Amino acid sequence: LPAGGVAAARLCTLGVGGYARVRKQFKVPIASMEGVQEKLANIGAITFQVSAAQAMFNAVLANGEKPPVLSAIMKHECTELGRIATNEGMDVVGGAGISLGPSNFLAPCYVNTPVSITVEGANALTRSLIIFGQGLTRSHPHLLHLIKAIQDGDNMDGFNSELKSVIAHAVTNLGRSVSRGLAVQFQFKGSDVSAY
């Protein structure tokens, strides 16, 4: 699915960019019009982003890693950016993008975009459950251990120990937040004491 988003962005960059140079309105190529240039710049920036993300993720996979959260982020971001690039491309090609036929290079991409966004969980579901849920579980210093203690079944000692660690971590973060917030309020910056 991320590769589909990358392909959509690249298709828009090459196809829509070329179309804008060839298509003329008022005897001027539409690529020289500022509104069209804005759309082409957005498409080019998106293509650069998703191509860089694809290269980075391919390197991660080549190292033998299997990151679930990064994979979900790639699915979410590449399909969303592919949708934006496709919509920007449709804005540029206009009626030529709506008229179906063998010469229409963008309509199949436009039709398939919603499929890539909803397959394997809609992007809203991917974002809220997988990215945030898995990201929180994996990045928290004690939460994954707490979940493993729950999965062990009758391991009350392990559960209680991990629960104490989670609570202690939360209290420590709260104390640090309050103390640092108060410390910033009473620091004098420069000679202007009246500002505080």
Side-chain angles (χ1 to χ4, degrees):
L1 293 173
V6 173
R10 288 183 178 176
L11 171 70
C12 289
T13 298
L14 297 174
V16 175
Y19 176 86
R21 293 297 306 154
V22 173
R23 173 77 165 89
K24 292 184 178 182
Q25 191 74 33
F26 309 113
K27 298 182 182 179
V28 176
I30 63 171
S32 59
M33 298 178 181
E34 290 180 10
V36 173
Q37 289 174 350
E38 178 185 359
K39 300 288 184 183
L40 293 175
N42 287 341
I43 293 169
I46 287 169
T47 304
F48 185 76
Q49 286 176 317
V50 295
S51 297
Q54 182 185 40
M56 184 270 311
F57 194 69
N58 287 344
V60 168
L61 293 177
N63 284 337
E65 298 177 34
K66 297 176 183 175
V69 177
L70 189 55
S71 178
I73 291 170
M74 283 291 293
K75 186 264 183 198
H76 178 269
E77 291 299 315
C78 287
T79 54
E80 282 293 331
L81 290 172
R83 175 191 353 209
I84 294 168
T86 303
N87 287 339
E88 298 280 41
M90 288 295 281
D91 286 348
V92 173
V93 298
I98 295 171
S99 303
L100 295 178
S103 298
N104 189 342
F105 63 92
L106 199 52
C109 182
Y110 186 75
V111 170
N112 289 329
T113 297
V115 175
S116 66
I117 288 175
T118 55
V119 171
E120 295 182 17
N123 278 355
L125 182 70
T126 300
R127 185 183 67 241
S128 58
L129 290 179
I130 298 174
I131 295 174
F132 291 130
Q134 286 287 323
L136 174 66
T137 303
R138 304 261 177 214
S139 64
H140 194 278
H142 307 291
L143 201 55
L144 187 59
H145 301 294
L146 179 69
I147 292 170
K148 287 181 181 177
I150 292 170
Q151 290 174 340
D152 287 344
D154 291 335
N155 186 3
M156 284 303 291
D157 292 335
F159 174 78
N160 289 335
S161 172
E162 295 302 329
L163 184 60
K164 287 177 187 174
S165 297
V166 169
I167 293 169
H169 182 71
V171 170
T172 301
N173 283 343
L174 176 66
R176 286 180 184 161
S177 296
V178 170
S179 64
R180 290 177 183 168
L182 291 173
V184 167
Q185 295 299 318
F186 296 111
Q187 285 182 347
F188 297 113
K189 296 180 181 162
S191 61
D192 188 12
V193 178
S194 65
Y196 298 96

